[in-house]
């Protein structure tokens, strides 16, 4: 097989995975909002109570939507870095998409039982595992390529640092939900903001240099 045909095959391979992932992300993001609703036919007082009751659902929806958006962005970056998905990288990619499709379940747990340590731990664990599996997709994909230019390796390190940082933050809050409180564990998720901002700025500087 010549290089032109191999390159075309690699592009189609990545395009098929991207199309599948886009569909799964669209479904997962849509499922997040299904629990955000106010029943019809309420009295004025009941309506106000229902709106207050739906606020945790809105919070869980917003959090999970941002997390899924970050996963989708990282996946796009990984597709640009990995020339072809096959073997272990393809298996990890499919497993990762399975974890993405599962995100609405821990989101529903969090919106309904945010005061329960187990609900917070399940949510944090799901996000942590999803990050680690996505990291495995990146590393196995680059390893299968056997060679890459320095710019690709540098960008891959920044993507890996972002995934590891997110996994560490969510993983560390699992015991905190039990030792301290679920609320403290959830507030600790804000530590992601400086982690992602720092990683993003370093990536931008590397690309411009």
């Amino acid at each position: 097989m010549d290089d032109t045909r191999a390159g075309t095959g690699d592009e189609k391979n990545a395009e098929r995975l991207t199309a599948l992932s886009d569909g799964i992300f669209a479904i997962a993001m849509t499922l997040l909002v299904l629990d955000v609703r106010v029943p019809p036919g309420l009295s004025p007082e009941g309506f106000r109570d229902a709106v207050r009751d739906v606020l945790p659902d809105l919070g869980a929806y917003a959090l999970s939507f941002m997390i899924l958006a970050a996963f989708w962005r990282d996946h796009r970056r990984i597709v640009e870095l990995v020339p072809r998905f096959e073997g272990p990288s393809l298996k990890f990619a499919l497993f990762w998409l399975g974890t993405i499709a599962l995100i609405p379940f821990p989101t529903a747990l969090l919106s309904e039982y945010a005061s329960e340590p187990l609900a917070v731990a399940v949510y944090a664990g799901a996000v942590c595992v999803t990050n680690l599996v996505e990291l495995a997709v990146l590393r196995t994909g680059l390893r299968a390529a056997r060679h890459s230019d320095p710019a690709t390796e540098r960008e891959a390190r920044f993507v890996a640092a972002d995934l590891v940082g997110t996994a560490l933050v969510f993983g560390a809050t699992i015991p905190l939900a039990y030792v301290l409180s679920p609320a403290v564990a959830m507030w600790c998720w804000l530590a992601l903001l400086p982690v992602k901002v720092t990683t993003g700025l370093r990536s931008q500087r590397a690309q411009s240099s």
Side-chain angles (χ1 to χ4, degrees), residues 102-126:
L102 190 64
I103 292 295
F105 169 66
T107 301
L109 284 182
L110 190 68
S111 65
E112 294 294 334
Y113 301 100
S115 60
E116 293 293 330
L118 180 58
V120 175
V122 168
Y123 188 90

Side-chain angles (χ1 to χ4, degrees), residues 33-98:
V33 79
L34 294 184
D35 289 331
V36 182
R37 60 182 182 272
V38 174
L42 298 174
S43 64
E45 182 179 355
F47 171 73
R48 288 190 292 271
D49 290 340
V51 170
R52 283 194 295 270
D53 291 340
V54 87
L55 291 179
D57 296 337
L58 285 172
Y61 160 76
L63 174 64
S64 292
F65 189 93
M66 289 188 294
I67 288 174
L68 286 176
F71 280 132
W72 180 82
R73 179 206 61 191
D74 289 338
H75 174 67
R76 289 284 180 164
R77 295 166 70 185
I78 290 174
V79 168
E80 294 175 357
L81 296 172
V82 175
R84 183 174 179 81
F85 292 89
E86 59 184 0
S89 64
L90 180 58
K91 292 177 182 178
F92 275 121
L94 294 175
F95 181 39
W96 175 72
L97 289 175

Side-chain angles (χ1 to χ4, degrees), residues 109-196:
L109 284 182
L110 190 68
S111 65
E112 294 294 334
Y113 301 100
S115 60
E116 293 293 330
L118 180 58
V120 175
V122 168
Y123 188 90
V127 176
C128 179
V129 169
T130 304
N131 274 274
L132 294 177
V133 176
E134 190 172 20
L135 178 63
V137 174
L138 174 63
R139 300 317 305 175
T140 55
L142 291 177
R143 190 178 301 118
R146 294 196 178 94
H147 60 83
S148 57
D149 58 87
T152 297
E153 287 291 342
R154 184 168 59 248
E155 179 63 18
R157 283 196 295 270
F158 286 118
V159 175
D162 182 47
L163 294 172
V164 170
T166 304
L168 287 176
V169 169
F170 275 92
T173 60
I174 295 175
L176 290 181
Y178 290 94
V179 175
L180 298 178
S181 72
V184 170
M186 288 187 286
W187 278 109
C188 287
W189 294 342
L190 293 177
L192 277 176
L193 295 177
V195 170
K196 289 191 172 293

